[in-house]
Amino acid sequence: MSILAVGSLAFDTIKTPFGLVEKELGGSCTYFALSASYFTEVRVIGVVGEDFTAEHENVLKRRGVRLEGVERAPGKTFHWGGEYGENVNEAITKFTDLNVFQSFQPKIPKEFLDSKFLFLGNIQPTLQVDVRKQLGRDVVVAGDTMNYWINNTPGELAEALKIMDILLINDAEAKALGKATNLPRAALNVLAHGPRVLVIKHGEYGATVFFRDGAFGIGAQHPFRAPTLPIEEVKDPTGAGDSFAGGFFGYLASQGAVTRETLKRAMFYGGVMGSFAVEDFGTRRLQNICREEIDARFQLFRDLTHLD
Amino acid sequence: MSILAVGSLAFDTIKTPFGLVEKELGGSCTYFALSASYFTEVRVIGVVGEDFTAEHENVLKRRGVRLEGVERAPGKTFHWGGEYGENVNEAITKFTDLNVFQSFQPKIPKEFLDSKFLFLGNIQPTLQVDVRKQLGRDVVVAGDTMNYWINNTPGELAEALKIMDILLINDAEAKALGKATNLPRAALNVLAHGPRVLVIKHGEYGATVFFRDGAFGIGAQHPFRAPTLPIEEVKDPTGAGDSFAGGFFGYLASQGAVTRETLKRAMFYGGVMGSFAVEDFGTRRLQNICREEIDARFQLFRDLTHLD
């Protein structure tokens, strides 16, 4: 089934120990869409400025991503600048020029109203709720958020969490949102108030999915963890989390059903796509992966923790 | 096969958010020996003071641990004091009274000279080398070290690494020893100068084993990662790493052979024993585990990352 995804389309200026790129195509929704496009059709809701060219659009169109929901507004496209030092796990933000993204009001075109899988990228929680309301019932909703919303708009975020089936966040966000330094405890606290399924991303250590008791008609459930292969050369970690989300939700949508079994494989595909993303600057690697490479890496990740 | 283990027998005074214990039986060798005792016979080389009672000895003897190599010296037993805050991954050392451990000169009793599996606990690298020399050839040697030796006695440590087949250290130690912030790169650097096999412990995220190319007659080898189950209540993390080492090396010795396959299972047993250790203060939980509990947790850890 197709995925409807809302989030940022942007330009990134990124410096890492491996080099510098300026105004490179980026944004959470771009990474998500490219990554998910290897599994299913992705329909994007977003906004770009006048400096977003046909060439930028073509990067997404070549992967079959549908852009009818992308509004072109007067002004410039969202532009983020960041730098990574020796510790590639931490980005230092140099500037955040929201530009046309500042007044973004997501609207779902009629032809996308039949979408059954919705991904709410990291945008204002009130906008996330607003997008959800534009679709009917029986939609599987996955979403992202960040510390900014956790700290500054907790009330709005609480409302957004209620409409999500699956929340994907990282360790630090989970601890802040769940108000606990112990991760499983934080996970339980988050699950008590919002999503039925919580995916916590551990960066180079992989990711763990926690379940609310009774999720998917099953009783108490143990968490499930998918590893990532230790990577020697992380050229640019930007978008790794969004690419994880794309592989994860893309696989789920391609299966058309959310069960413990599809979620387990989705966790592995998330790790696989995240590991491709960091191999080159921006979305470059995500633009040209072949199916055989995805399958081979899936097998590698599986072997990484599998006993015979 | 039996394991010969050298390291500290100590008393620990520990404060965690769950309580305080004073002069509790501890020491790296104690944790290691109790943990490994569930898999094979352990013979200990160490030193204790006059305050180490028969009751303390019995904790080890009840698990079949052999103490003929433990010297009783005039004075007090090594006593460590530490505290854990909300972040249980970091101990704050309050005091380190080495006492009789300061002048420890390990001597292997004759009846232990046939040992084929040697564990060199975290002691002075020169003592590690000295112990190794007392045994003949064809011994599998695993060892531990810490940042203190990495920073202060790098030359002596380099000699000790050359006599180890397997080194077990944590993330921070691996990065310091391998002089790289990227973990797989640090691992390669460590493997180039010392052990054939490097186990890096990631605390709550499990552990990864890296292989030098050609180790065990096999060519280039991918790493292998064993997870740990996220634990909601870590009562006292003291000794988790030593307990990991005990489960890991105890299982290897019980199999009598170090191969990629036995190492993979050993990684899981390491995680299993580490997870038991933190459930109660000191070595309390390690004193009373039944085989069924170990098997059940092994299965739980396996299921944690296994696809069908």
Side-chain angles (χ1 to χ4, degrees), chain B residues 1-291:
Chain B
M1 290 187 185
S2 301
I3 292 177
L4 185 68
V6 60
S8 63
L9 301 161
F11 294 132
D12 291 339
T13 292
I14 303 162
K15 195 176 167 190
T16 86
F18 292 92
L20 168 78
V21 291
E22 294 185 85
K23 286 199 82 178
E24 180 87 7
L25 177 64
S28 67
C29 202
T30 307
Y31 282 100
F32 176 89
L34 287 173
S35 173
S37 74
Y38 290 92
F39 302 90
T40 193
E41 182 191 76
V42 185
R43 303 154 165 187
V44 168
I45 309 290
V47 62
V48 297
E50 292 151 331
D51 51 355
F52 201 88
T53 66
E55 189 40 52
H56 294 122
E57 282 185 6
N58 282 336
V59 168
L60 289 154
K61 282 184 179 167
R62 273 196 296 270
R63 292 286 326 141
V65 176
R66 296 191 47 190
L67 302 178
E68 295 96 309
V70 176
E71 182 194 343
R72 186 175 293 270
K76 286 188 172 179
T77 301
F78 180 9
H79 187 188
W80 176 80
E83 191 174 330
Y84 301 86
E86 274 303 306
N87 179 356
V88 292
N89 295 317
E90 270 175 58
I92 300 148
T93 291
K94 292 293 178 181
F95 59 85
T96 306
D97 297 338
L98 290 175
N99 300 328
V100 297
F101 197 64
Q102 185 128 36
S103 48
F104 178 39
Q105 289 295 333
K107 280 179 276 310
I108 306 178
K110 264 192 191 143
E111 62 263 44
F112 292 170
L113 288 174
D114 62 345
S115 304
K116 295 297 178 199
F117 283 80
L118 173 64
F119 182 72
L120 301 169
N122 172 26
I123 56 174
Q124 263 190 53
T126 47
L127 292 184
Q128 291 180 319
V129 173
D130 183 57
V131 171
R132 171 65 189 91
K133 282 183 179 160
Q134 296 176 47
L135 289 184
R137 300 181 61 166
D138 299 326
V139 175
V140 179
V141 183
D144 187 9
T145 191
M146 70 190 289
N147 271 337
Y148 181 83
W149 311 116
I150 294 170
N151 297 326
N152 296 303
T153 64
E156 288 84 345
L157 180 58
E159 292 305 309
L161 294 183
K162 284 182 193 157
I163 56 145
M164 292 185 195
D165 299 293
I166 306 169
L167 175 66
L168 297 104
I169 48 182
N170 67 29
D171 282 347
E173 290 157 355
K175 289 174 182 177
L177 187 58
K179 294 186 174 56
T181 54
N182 175 288
L183 201 65
R185 193 170 291 269
L188 283 181
N189 292 345
V190 172
L191 289 169
H193 298 292
R196 293 182 287 164
V197 175
L198 173 64
V199 175
I200 303 182
K201 296 168 284 180
H202 313 309
E204 62 180 314
Y205 299 119
T208 306
V209 55
F210 294 88
F211 301 89
R212 194 196 298 171
D213 280 358
F216 311 110
I218 320 175
Q221 292 189 50
H222 292 300
F224 181 77
R225 178 170 292 177
T228 53
L229 189 72
I231 292 174
E232 265 173 73
E233 196 168 288
V234 175
K235 268 203 181 162
D236 173 14
T238 310
D242 303 312
S243 305
F244 180 100
F248 172 87
F249 207 48
Y251 175 77
L252 278 184
S254 77
Q255 299 301 299
V258 183
T259 66
R260 184 173 169 90
E261 284 313 307
T262 56
L263 277 166
K264 281 163 67 172
R265 287 183 174 263
M267 291 289 287
F268 271 82
Y269 280 114
V272 164
M273 298 311 289
S275 78
F276 280 119
V278 304
E279 288 182 352
D280 204 346
F281 279 94
T283 63
R284 291 176 194 181
R285 186 68 177 104
L286 288 182
Q287 295 176 32
N288 295 294
I289 311 173
C290 62
R291 185 70 219 184

Side-chain angles (χ1 to χ4, degrees), chain A residues 3 5 27-37 42 119 242-243 245-247 249-250:
Chain A
I3 292 176
S28 68
C29 201
T30 307
Y31 281 100
F32 176 89
L34 287 172
S35 174
S37 74
V42 184
F119 182 72
D242 302 312
S243 305
F249 207 48

